[in-house]
Amino acid sequence: VEEIEWLVPGIVPRRNVVLLTGNASMGKSTLVASWLHQITEVPVFVFDLDSPLNAVQPVWQRLGTIPPNVRYWGGWTRD
């Protein structure tokens, strides 16, 4: 059995897709921001169905600068 490499210990495995879902205002953006600041050595792609970047950027920046390895695509649904 191959040992799992972790980008965020015990939470985000290397070379895998992580899906995070939940109701609005549950803290998903804040949780993702905390993970992003721990993952610095590999590219990270964030796909957010509901929120454009300008909606999540303030949340992410409260925890520090958004790392340069992060690519964001979001806010493509119609209300």
Side-chain angles (χ1 to χ4, degrees), residues 8-70:
V8 177
I11 300 171
V12 179
R14 187 180 196 101
R15 295 183 196 96
N16 281 274
V17 173
V18 174
L19 178 64
L20 180 63
T21 66
N23 294 330
S25 300
M26 297 294 291
K28 296 178 302 291
S29 294
T30 303
L31 179 60
V32 169
S34 70
W35 292 348
L36 293 177
H37 287 90
Q38 296 177 61
I39 304 170
T40 57
E41 73 267 10
V42 297
V44 176
F45 299 93
V46 177
F47 300 94
D48 186 330
L49 184 66
D50 298 317
S51 303
L53 181 59
N54 65 354
V56 297
Q57 227 167 7
V59 174
W60 291 3
Q61 289 176 336
R62 277 193 298 243
L63 295 172
T65 304
I66 298 170
N69 61 316
V70 175

